[in-house]
Amino acid sequence: MATSTLSQKRPLFDPEILGRAVRDSFVKLNPAQLLKNPVIFVVEAGAALSSVLLIRDAAMGTADVWFNLQITLWLWFTVLFANFAEAMAEARGKAQADTLRKTKSDSLAHRVTAKGAVEDVAASQLRAGDVVICEAGDTIPGDGEVIDGIATVDESVITGESAPVIRESGGDRSAVTGGTRVLSDQIRIRITSNPGETFLDRMIALVEGAERQKTPNEIALNILIAGLTLIFLLAVVTLQPFAQYSVNAAGTGTAPSVAVLVSLLVCLIPTTIGGLLSAIGIAGMDRVMQHNVLAMSGKAVEAAGDINTLLLDKTGTITIGNRQAVEFLPLAGVTDVELAEAAQLSSLADETPEGRSVVVLAKEKYGLRGRELAQHEATFVPFSAYTRMSGVDWNGGRLRKGATASIEQFVKEEGGSAPDQLRELAEGISRQGGTPLAVANGKRALGVIHLKDVVKGGMKERLAELRRMGISTVMITGDNPLTAAAIAAEAGVDNFLAQASPADKLNYIKREQAEGRLVAMTGDGTNDAPALAQADVGLAMNTGTMAAKEAGNMVDLDSNPTKLIEVVAIGKQLLITRGALTTFSIANDVAKYFAILPAMFMAIYPAMGQLNVMGLHNPKSAVLSAVIFNALIIIVLVPLALRGVKYRPDGAEALLRRNLLVYGLGGLIVPFPGIWLLDRLVYAMGLV
Amino acid sequence: MWTQMMPALRMTLLLTVLTGLIYPGAVTALCQALFPAQANGSLIVRNGKVIGSALIGQNFAGEGYFHPRPSAAGADGYDAAASGGSNLGPTSRKLMERVKQAKVAEGIEGPVPADLLTASGSGLDPHISPESAELQIARVAKARGMSFQAVAALVRQYTEDRDLGFLGEARVNVLLLNLALDEVRQ
Amino acid sequence: MTSNGVLQVVVFFLLIVLAARPFGVYMARVFSGEFAFLRAMERFFYRVVGVDANQEQHWTQYAGSLLSFSFVSFLFTYLLQRLQGVLPLNPAGFGTEVMTPELAFNTAVSFVTNTNWQAYGGESTMSYLVQMAALTVQNFASAAAGLAVAIALTRGFARQQASSIGNFWVDLTRGVLYVLLPLSVVGALFFCSQGVIQNLSAYTQVTTVEGRTQVIAQGPVASQEAIKMLGTNGGGFFNANSSHPFENPTPLTNLVQMLMIFVIPAGLTYTFGRMTGDQRQGWAIFSAMAVLFLAGVFVVYGMEQAGNPELARLGVVGGNMEGKEVRFGIAATALFATITTAASCGAVNGMHDSLTPLGGLVPLFNMQTGEVIFGGVGAGLYGVLLFAVLAVFIAGLMVGRTPEYLGKKIEGKEVKMAMLAMIATAAAILLFTAAGSVVGTGTLNNAGPHGFAEILYAYTSAAANNGSAFAGIGVNTPWYNVTLGIAMLVGRFFIIIPMLAVAGSLAAKKKLPVTTGTLPTHGPLFVTLLVGTIVIVGALTFFPALSLSPIAEHFLLLEGRLF
């Protein structure tokens, strides 16, 4: 696959991106901006409070300025690190958007006036409904529909695919995208979008994250962590009078200072997930883009993770596009070789993949070399929709192959009669999911060729994987139910929709949704549009019509329907990453308690030193190392947030067990050695 | 909410009649008919006078009686109209002092079963542990001029086993034991 | 710990396991209207109250009915107390001078919220009429209301695309008539047969063997005792509650009382499974509760049996018996203390104030985690479901789907309501304790960290609607009566209303089909997750406060520091 603007691989910490992110981390210190992230806002408020107190103390020379300075600095670092995570995620998109913008030069358009004359106007002057003419070498000035002509177009700007595609009026290949380039011929285009609203514009906006809105799950998670923040605020604020009571009761010690209380608060509130939450969401969108899929909203990506049912088109998704001959079934009294030879001869002029596969099979199985039949000795009969047969008249023989009914008709017309066995053989093939092609030589029916759909390599495994993930797959096909059932069984899909019309698809989706399932599908034709719009995740092919692209909530620029499976995996990975980091963040608190609480209370009740299970040097080093750990863990986890946690397609139980073990238990344990190590460091460096 | 006030009022009145009057009334009637002794407090009558309840502990200070546990009910202990414990916590200096004094008062050296020096939750605990009773046998026997064995036999007789063999703890009802002692004297 | 002590715990637990199913089935059938043997009585209720039993309510109406009922109950209880001096059945002649407005407010709130916190001593404050017509009634009413909420929430999970969650008046009536009342009658008769008193006589004055005067309090105790346990109310007739020999005379009545506390909450987990159509879900919740329960019991039992090292130095052997009754002993008292705080009962058969530091930590912690270990009648189930919603939401994401519980998506609204409940109770406990540690220290019975624990315990017990106390603290003061009353109201209604909102929200949702991609909520993994969430969330919120009270006290005691 070629690399488009979207899917180009940049290293995670590309210097350009890194620079931009560092700059943005400071810009984001603006409290008005931070307000939408309550957790980090609280950290900033705490940092500001301890800064003010620090200045006061420094002026009065009262408290331990050096210690408070370090705490204050690390609190600010915590805010900056959280900002940095978000900025990193955004910066990647912004960089991509810049690249895309460069391709958007304001070209001249040849507009056809009402009177039929052609005038040159700037592309930015075009409005929906205008008609323009584009010739070889022109950049198409806006999104539109070919209304006349046929041309090859280079769409690499959008798709990254350098091979030109054909665009022609009428049908499903009429849509053109602004910014792409005509390579040959001339087409007349009706513009369908106003400037600023083109596909390219939307793409830039999406990539840049300008219109990013919080997804439902993100909102819910925000409520959770904001609520936890409030609870910890209560716990810490009330700690002051509790400690004061204890000081009075013990008759010794002092209540903890504001700097220490703020430190405890910042360590307890879920800063890790609070700092990384939006980065995870942005990075999820970004990952979808790296697969060359343009998601119209984060909600769509999230919904992909929830999908219960996948509607997959048979042709092109489950099977390779063409059927292949796999067997010759001669009638009684006809030899294999005779049938194979007749089939091969009748297919020589058949340039379709099916025809070629007949020639190849005859050669491989019976060693029959494809013969060069010169025009003068043979008359080729091409396939026609009327006769539904093709063949050759050669050497006195009239060889034909075609649909069973057509061949029966042909044999009858030639004066013979097809035996019942022909029909039986044909039906047998249909039952196995194949397509029968009958072969006859004049009035003599010879047998049947078995054409078979070939399931794509690896598809069976992928479908099994989906089943393990709890997603049921439905194969959509125009085939009859018999054929569909056989292919469905071979590929291992859970269900199929045979002889499916677009309306059938739509109804199937509605039915699934009524039972509470979320449905994803791919589509490209205009008649797919209602179903794409109805589906929870509608992945439109970029080669498809504008109507389809607008109805779906994702566009695959590679136009590869199998991509849907990857999109589902990305959606799941996004949710898992959120859950994992939330769990990790909360589990971390336990160790922080064991670091800070004994440090706080040892002055009052020296016996509390027994809670210092990590054996930290002194109260100051304990608090400082907990705060440092809390800040650093955000930075450490940025790559994980941006890449997403490793997703293995598996059942929910197995996933939960593994992730709970890694992020739950891990989150419980990791901070203990982490804080212990930092304590050794700050102590050794003489910081406390 | 306000439209619901009338149903709420009617429901409250209805429940008051049913669960506040009929229910306790009916239960009282049934209990008085079926278990009159228990329903009225398992009172013990001696010489036509109520001298206590078999379930409620009372003070015994005399050398010749088995002593109950310290009591925090009322000012002088064993006030059956003001039940309650000492509510002294484990780090209470007052608790340590009280236990020390109780130990001196009981005149015991060495280890003492916990119940004999600690106050019960109700302040009306009618029981002491068999071990606590055993510790007092010598003193009671001496004060009464009875043989150790005779008193010990009475203690054994008044030792109740755990309910159903495993519930709670074995125990000696102090009032019943002391009444039995008095009967022996008579 | 002795093998006999362990045996008592095990037998108790097995009896609860055995009881869960029959009680659960019975309640599921009662609340779905399958039982009709009291239909005539039910109809009478609906006619008098003036409700259409077939008219279901939207969650807001359901909540409205519950609030109205609670409000009227409060007024009624308040007035009866204030007027006791002029009302009959008052042989001891208690008047309004002992029943101050603050105390009446506190007590009315306390009984209406199923807390049964007692700032008064029953035998020295309340007339028989108030005990029966005000307090006993609320023992039934508040328990039945809690039961109704749990059933309504269960319906929320069970239904789909429904706009209603049942009818409060119907649920309340059925709870009283079919569940609480019949069991109470049986329980009361049994208690009386064992020695619990039941009379309306005046107090008995006796001359003791040694010639002292002893006044023995009397009253209709057995009838109140039964519902006190069954409704996880816990408000004793006497000050000493279930340690009083007239309330709880034998180890056998003690066992029955403990069973009565747990039987409805344990049964409700089965009811939940049955009504939502997946019995394993009910057992999973039961298992999580069981794990927490057994862990708690053995901590308390272990600590109490080990005793107080300072007392041991004085030659006291055999564990900590301060505040405990000889007939129950250490095991049955430790068991009772754990049960009563695991459920929102609050009855005590020994004084919690005198427990060892870590023995007292468990009851505190049980209440601070919301009494979800079987919990109060109804309150336990809706409390644990609150945690289940949070657990599913946090960890459920880790399977890569929008979290769902029993086929219902857990989204913003559910999380918001769950967090609201958590924040409200945490705020009620922590803020009031903070204020109390400044202005409320005058009436403490203990100094040092234990004094702080008394304040913390009081507000914890109030906000958790438990009612037990570190009872040394003198709480019959205007400050404590009012603030504890507010804490009780917050702890009751800031959980009930959000949970009803969740019920309404869930009922309206579709039920998603279960696939292998669905987070399984019935296996050991989920049980572990739920237990972890309860313990960690509870610990994180209250660990600072706890570390300055029982935890500090524990370490200080080991060093021999006294206050």
Side-chain angles (χ1 to χ4, degrees):
Chain A
M1 186 179 51
T3 318
S4 80
T5 318
L6 293 183
S7 63
Q8 56 184 279
K9 288 278 176 213
R10 284 171 183 269
L12 197 58
F13 291 100
D14 178 276
E16 182 202 331
I17 290 179
L18 209 58
R20 192 197 275 256
V22 170
R23 255 196 329 278
D24 285 353
S25 330
F26 285 92
V27 176
K28 283 172 184 283
L29 284 177
N30 179 358
Q33 246 193 66
L34 264 187
L35 207 53
K36 61 182 195 305
N37 188 341
V39 183
I40 302 304
F41 180 77
V42 168
V43 180
E44 188 175 39
L49 176 66
S50 66
S51 303
V52 171
L53 293 177
L54 179 71
I55 294 167
R56 191 199 63 182
D57 291 347
M60 294 165 57
T62 45
D64 186 345
V65 175
W66 171 232
F67 172 70
N68 287 359
L69 173 70
Q70 293 186 68
I71 291 287
T72 308
L73 280 178
W74 278 104
L75 294 179
W76 283 114
F77 281 143
T78 311
V79 183
L80 283 174
F81 290 168
N83 287 348
F84 174 74
E86 191 180 69
M88 269 297 288
E90 286 172 353
R92 298 171 63 77
K94 283 181 181 163
Q96 284 170 345
D98 286 350
T99 319
L100 271 177
R101 241 182 231 117
K102 279 181 204 141
T103 67
K104 230 187 89 176
S105 53
D106 197 11
S107 50
L108 275 186
H110 316 295
R111 183 163 67 183
V112 181
T113 64
K115 292 175 188 132
V118 176
E119 55 175 10
D120 283 1
V121 296
S124 56
Q125 303 281 306
L126 292 173
R127 292 288 177 273
D130 286 351
V131 174
V132 297
I133 291 176
C134 287
E135 292 173 341
D138 285 353
T139 297
I140 295 174
D143 293 355
E145 203 183 327
V146 181
I147 50 174
D148 191 23
I150 174 165
T152 52
V153 177
D154 172 11
E155 295 195 336
S156 59
V157 173
I158 304 290
T159 63
E161 180 61 60
S162 51
V165 295
I166 290 176
R167 292 295 175 211
E168 59 186 332
S169 61
D172 285 351
R173 290 195 294 179
S174 64
V176 289
T177 313
T180 58
R181 215 155 47 85
V182 177
L183 292 179
S184 70
D185 306 294
Q186 188 194 55
I187 42 175
R188 216 172 251 261
I189 299 165
R190 184 185 298 117
I191 299 295
T192 51
S193 61
N194 291 322
E197 297 165 11
T198 64
F199 188 68
L200 195 60
D201 290 319
R202 263 163 65 201
M203 200 162 143
I204 291 171
L206 283 169
V207 170
E208 201 169 29
E211 296 167 15
R212 206 176 75 82
Q213 286 178 329
K214 282 187 180 151
T215 60
N217 176 262
E218 213 176 336
I219 292 170
L221 198 51
N222 246 315
I223 294 170
L224 177 87
I225 60 179
L228 287 176
T229 304
L230 201 54
I231 289 178
F232 289 127
L233 195 61
L234 285 168
V236 172
V237 167
T238 53
L239 198 50
Q240 165 67 28
F242 295 173
Q244 193 54 53
Y245 171 95
S246 308
V247 169
N248 299 344
T252 52
T254 47
S257 69
V258 172
V260 171
L261 285 175
V262 171
S263 303
L264 177 64
L265 176 65
V266 169
C267 284
L268 294 184
I269 62 178
T271 46
T272 312
I273 184 65
L276 297 174
L277 184 56
S278 62
I280 296 169
I282 299 167
M285 294 276 284
D286 196 47
R287 271 198 302 284
V288 173
M289 287 176 192
Q290 281 169 28
H291 280 78
N292 231 0
V293 172
L294 199 59
M296 298 302 162
S297 68
K299 199 175 164 182
V301 180
E302 211 172 271
D306 280 348
I307 289 304
N308 301 93
T309 307
L310 270 188
L311 301 194
L312 299 169
D313 280 324
K314 183 197 81 178
T315 309
T317 309
I318 292 172
T319 62
I320 57 176
N322 309 300
R323 284 175 279 222
Q324 292 190 338
V326 291
E327 200 180 6
F328 297 114
L329 298 171
L331 290 171
V334 181
T335 65
D336 296 4
V337 182
E338 188 181 1
L339 173 61
E341 193 167 11
Q344 191 184 44
L345 283 170
S346 67
S347 303
L348 281 179
D350 184 350
E351 283 302 317
T352 63
E354 284 90 351
R356 260 176 282 155
S357 77
V358 173
V359 176
V360 169
L361 181 71
K363 188 171 115 188
E364 282 178 354
K365 228 173 168 180
Y366 302 100
L368 300 173
R369 299 212 144 267
R371 273 157 288 189
E372 286 299 323
L373 297 184
Q375 282 289 346
H376 60 268
E377 41 181 343
T379 315
F380 290 105
V381 182
F383 178 84
S384 86
Y386 176 69
T387 61
R388 297 169 71 205
M389 288 187 303
S390 64
V392 61
D393 293 342
W394 174 66
N395 211 6
R398 285 163 65 74
L399 301 171
R400 292 289 182 278
K401 74 174 202 298
T404 316
S406 309
I407 295 295
E408 277 173 347
Q409 178 72 22
F410 171 75
V411 168
K412 211 171 180 185
E413 280 166 11
E414 294 286 310
S417 76
D420 289 345
Q421 199 197 355
L422 185 72
R423 184 157 286 268
E424 284 161 18
L425 286 175
E427 276 169 7
I429 291 170
S430 287
R431 260 197 302 282
Q432 295 169 50
T435 306
L437 271 186
V439 181
N441 186 353
K443 61 182 181 181
R444 183 159 171 251
L446 297 176
V448 186
I449 309 170
H450 183 170
L451 288 180
K452 200 176 160 194
D453 267 308
V454 180
V455 174
K456 278 186 178 175
M459 184 49 67
K460 211 179 159 83
E461 291 69 32
R462 305 216 54 182
L463 292 171
E465 209 169 77
L466 285 169
R467 189 169 310 110
R468 264 207 312 284
M469 287 154 68
I471 296 172
S472 70
T473 46
V474 181
M475 184 181 81
I476 308 288
T477 171
D479 291 341
N480 64 59
L482 225 58
T483 310
I487 299 171
E490 192 188 336
V493 292
D494 300 309
N495 206 347
F496 62 86
L497 196 57
Q499 290 168 339
S501 67
D504 289 340
K505 265 199 221 184
L506 182 63
N507 290 334
Y508 192 90
I509 294 176
K510 284 183 174 163
R511 212 164 46 241
E512 287 284 301
Q513 287 174 334
E515 285 165 27
R517 296 190 182 86
L518 269 70
V519 185
M521 69 168 285
T522 60
D524 51 6
T526 298
N527 55 16
D528 283 334
L532 278 172
Q534 179 72 34
D536 300 280
V537 173
L539 180 63
M541 299 295 106
N542 190 49
T543 51
T545 61
M546 222 45 186
K549 285 204 261 183
E550 268 162 19
N553 45 17
M554 292 187 197
V555 177
D556 180 19
L557 301 175
D558 296 336
S559 304
N560 170 12
T562 322
K563 203 75 84 54
L564 196 50
I565 299 176
E566 269 129 50
V567 172
V568 167
I570 294 173
K572 287 194 174 296
Q573 193 190 25
L574 170 72
L575 293 171
I576 293 175
T577 307
R578 278 197 199 130
L581 291 183
T582 307
T583 309
F584 186 82
S585 196
I586 295 172
N588 265 210
D589 280 5
V590 174
K592 294 175 196 163
Y593 265 129
F594 278 102
I596 299 184
L597 284 189
M600 275 178 143
F601 300 143
M602 265 161 71
I604 306 170
Y605 300 128
M608 294 296 281
Q610 298 191 46
L611 272 184
N612 180 7
V613 290
M614 284 174 271
L616 306 180
H617 277 99
N618 58 47
K620 281 178 190 166
S621 72
V623 174
L624 188 61
S625 46
V627 172
I628 295 176
F629 178 86
N630 188 57
L632 290 183
I633 198 76
I634 298 178
I635 287 294
V636 171
L637 290 175
V638 166
L640 185 69
L642 296 186
R643 284 201 198 102
V645 306
K646 199 165 171 220
Y647 174 68
R648 264 177 277 182
D650 220 332
E653 173 122 31
L655 276 177
L656 181 64
R657 179 173 299 120
R658 194 172 49 242
N659 288 331
L660 259 185
L661 216 62
V662 175
Y663 298 98
L665 197 62
L668 219 53
I669 295 169
V670 164
F672 282 98
I675 293 173
W676 179 83
L677 204 64
L678 286 166
D679 174 75
R680 304 282 120 165
L681 272 175
V682 296
Y683 188 76
M685 290 163 71
L687 295 176
V688 286
Chain B
M1 181 176 165
W2 299 109
T3 56
Q4 302 284 340
M5 281 300 169
M6 283 319 287
L9 183 62
R10 288 190 288 259
M11 181 61 98
T12 305
L13 291 173
L14 205 51
L15 285 180
T16 303
V17 173
L18 180 68
T19 64
L21 299 173
I22 298 179
Y23 162 69
V27 170
T28 307
L30 278 170
C31 289
Q32 290 291 340
L34 295 171
F35 319 108
Q38 294 96 315
N40 292 311
S42 311
L43 300 175
I44 299 173
V45 180
R46 282 289 183 279
N47 308 323
K49 277 192 180 153
V50 180
I51 52 113
S53 160
L55 295 177
I56 303 287
Q58 50 182 254
N59 266 321
F60 285 97
E63 292 280 289
Y65 285 119
F66 281 87
H67 296 170
R69 307 174 60 186
S71 163
D76 308 318
Y78 290 97
D79 180 346
S83 57
S86 72
N87 285 315
L88 292 174
T91 50
S92 165
R93 189 166 281 133
K94 228 189 275 177
L95 174 66
M96 305 307 153
E97 292 306 318
R98 203 202 65 206
V99 169
K100 252 184 246 172
Q101 281 167 12
K103 197 175 173 192
V104 171
E106 286 298 315
I108 311 166
E109 304 286 326
V112 193
D115 63 288
L116 196 58
L117 299 182
T118 53
S120 67
S122 62
L124 303 173
D125 195 343
H127 300 113
I128 54 176
S129 65
E131 296 77 21
S132 296
E134 229 159 86
L135 265 185
Q136 302 186 48
I137 293 175
R139 184 195 73 225
V140 172
K142 188 174 162 218
R144 289 183 174 261
M146 290 170 68
S147 74
F148 186 93
Q149 284 75 12
V151 179
L154 264 186
V155 168
R156 268 198 304 282
Q157 189 190 332
Y158 279 86
T159 299
E160 300 168 48
D161 192 16
R162 295 182 170 118
D163 287 13
L164 308 179
F166 75 101
L167 288 173
E169 298 297 339
R171 56 207 182 267
V172 179
N173 187 310
V174 179
L175 174 60
L176 297 184
L177 175 61
N178 285 337
L179 285 174
L181 279 172
D182 280 352
E183 269 157 31
V184 170
R185 188 169 55 187
Q186 289 156 3
Chain C
M1 289 189 265
T2 66
S3 54
N4 189 71
V6 174
L7 179 67
Q8 292 187 59
V9 175
V10 171
V11 167
F12 168 80
F13 181 68
L14 288 179
L15 288 172
I16 285 299
V17 173
L18 289 178
R21 192 191 145 114
F23 276 85
V25 172
Y26 178 72
M27 286 187 286
R29 300 189 65 181
V30 162
F31 286 104
S32 51
E34 286 173 43
F35 276 132
F37 60 88
L38 293 173
R39 190 64 93 220
M41 187 92 161
E42 260 192 77
R43 286 219 189 86
F44 172 73
F45 260 71
Y46 304 145
R47 203 167 56 243
V48 173
V49 174
V51 296
D52 177 359
N54 297 318
Q55 187 72 44
E56 290 223 337
Q57 295 171 312
H58 185 254
W59 81 262
T60 48
Q61 294 168 309
Y62 200 98
S65 298
L66 184 141
L67 286 176
S68 313
F69 179 65
S70 300
F71 181 68
V72 172
S73 297
F74 162 78
L75 280 183
F76 199 74
T77 311
Y78 178 83
L79 287 175
L80 274 178
Q81 291 177 84
R82 294 285 291 153
L83 298 174
Q84 69 170 348
V86 296
L87 292 171
L89 284 177
N90 186 8
F94 298 128
T96 42
E97 69 285 358
V98 292
M99 189 48 72
T100 60
E102 311 90 66
L103 180 59
F105 161 79
N106 181 282
T107 307
V109 167
S110 167
F111 278 75
V112 168
T113 57
N114 197 252
T115 312
N116 301 29
W117 171 265
Q118 295 169 294
Y120 59 91
E123 66 269 45
S124 56
T125 325
M126 296 283 179
S127 74
Y128 292 163
L129 184 77
V130 173
Q131 293 265 26
M132 296 188 323
L135 304 188
T136 303
V137 174
Q138 285 314 312
N139 277 353
F140 280 97
S142 64
L147 203 50
V149 173
I151 295 296
L153 181 59
T154 304
R155 288 194 190 108
F157 280 104
R159 293 180 173 181
Q160 49 179 335
Q161 290 175 296
S163 59
S164 62
I165 53 172
N167 182 310
F168 173 72
W169 304 113
V170 173
D171 291 340
L172 183 79
T173 306
R174 288 185 179 153
V176 171
L177 293 185
Y178 289 87
V179 182
L180 298 176
L181 198 53
L183 288 171
S184 294
V185 172
V186 175
L189 290 177
F190 171 75
F191 286 147
C192 189
S193 76
Q194 296 295 302
V196 178
I197 57 175
Q198 178 74 23
N199 60 60
L200 299 173
S201 321
Y203 292 179
T204 310
Q205 185 165 335
V206 303
T207 304
T208 65
V209 176
E210 286 196 338
R212 295 186 186 83
T213 302
Q214 188 180 38
V215 177
I216 298 176
Q218 299 284 0
V221 179
S223 56
Q224 190 174 329
E225 201 63 19
I227 186 61
K228 163 186 132 188
M229 295 302 164
L230 203 57
T232 61
N233 295 286
F237 194 94
F238 299 111
N239 185 47
N241 210 300
S242 279
S243 69
H244 196 295
F246 277 170
E247 287 201 27
N248 192 6
T250 65
L252 184 61
T253 57
N254 191 57
L255 175 71
V256 173
Q257 294 202 350
M258 294 189 295
L259 289 172
M260 285 174 83
I261 297 176
F262 263 10
V263 72
I264 292 179
L268 275 176
T269 63
Y270 196 90
T271 309
F272 178 74
R274 191 178 165 99
M275 286 177 72
T276 55
D278 186 355
Q279 212 56 67
R280 297 172 308 173
Q281 304 288 349
W283 284 119
I285 289 178
F286 184 97
S287 310
M289 291 170 162
V291 168
L292 288 165
F293 168 65
L294 291 173
V297 170
F298 285 111
V299 171
V300 182
Y301 183 25
M303 294 317 294
E304 294 308 303
Q305 191 68 61
N308 184 332
E310 281 304 293
L311 284 178
R313 288 202 311 128
L314 297 177
V316 172
V317 294
N320 179 20
M321 279 300 288
E322 181 70 22
K324 297 187 182 63
E325 305 290 301
V326 169
R327 60 190 180 285
F328 306 137
I330 289 172
T333 311
L335 183 57
F336 200 109
T338 312
I339 292 168
T340 198
T341 50
S344 79
C345 184
V348 295
N349 78 343
M351 293 303 133
H352 290 189
D353 214 351
S354 300
L355 291 171
T356 57
L358 297 187
L361 173 72
V362 171
L364 256 174
F365 192 72
N366 279 349
M367 294 187 289
Q368 285 167 343
T369 48
E371 289 163 343
V372 294
I373 309 168
F374 299 103
V377 166
L381 184 65
Y382 61 69
V384 80
L385 289 176
L386 185 156
F387 273 107
V389 161
L390 284 182
V392 162
F393 181 75
I394 298 170
L397 283 173
M398 287 195 289
V399 306
R401 292 174 60 87
T402 298
E404 58 199 70
Y405 186 43
L406 297 165
K408 300 287 190 170
K409 273 194 178 180
I410 304 301
E411 295 167 298
K413 172 145 193 201
E414 289 73 33
V415 175
K416 194 188 290 174
M417 291 301 148
M419 288 315 289
L420 176 63
M422 304 261 318
I423 293 168
T425 41
I429 295 174
L430 291 172
L431 292 178
F432 280 129
T433 304
S437 69
V438 177
V439 304
T441 55
T443 55
L444 298 181
N445 190 44
N446 286 277
H450 198 79
F452 177 59
E454 286 183 340
I455 303 174
L456 180 63
Y457 197 107
Y459 288 107
T460 299
S461 173
N465 292 162
N466 183 276
S468 68
F470 272 7
I473 185 173
V475 287
N476 192 4
T477 65
W479 161 261
Y480 278 114
N481 275 332
V482 172
T483 53
L484 287 166
I486 295 170
M488 289 185 253
L489 289 171
V490 170
R492 174 82 165 177
F493 297 107
F494 272 84
I495 294 184
I496 282 187
I497 304 300
M499 287 329 273
L500 284 176
V502 168
S505 163
L506 291 177
K509 292 186 191 201
K510 283 178 195 158
K511 217 173 166 83
L512 307 180
V514 174
T515 69
T516 54
T518 311
L519 170 75
T521 53
H522 53 74
L525 191 61
F526 178 73
V527 172
T528 313
L529 177 63
L530 184 55
V531 168
T533 307
I534 292 170
V535 170
I536 290 182
V537 172
L540 292 182
T541 311
F542 296 103
F543 196 59
L546 291 173
S547 59
L548 281 176
S549 43
I551 296 173
E553 193 183 18
H554 174 74
F555 290 126
L556 291 169
L557 184 58
L558 292 182
E559 289 189 348
R561 175 106 185 256
L562 299 179
F563 291 90

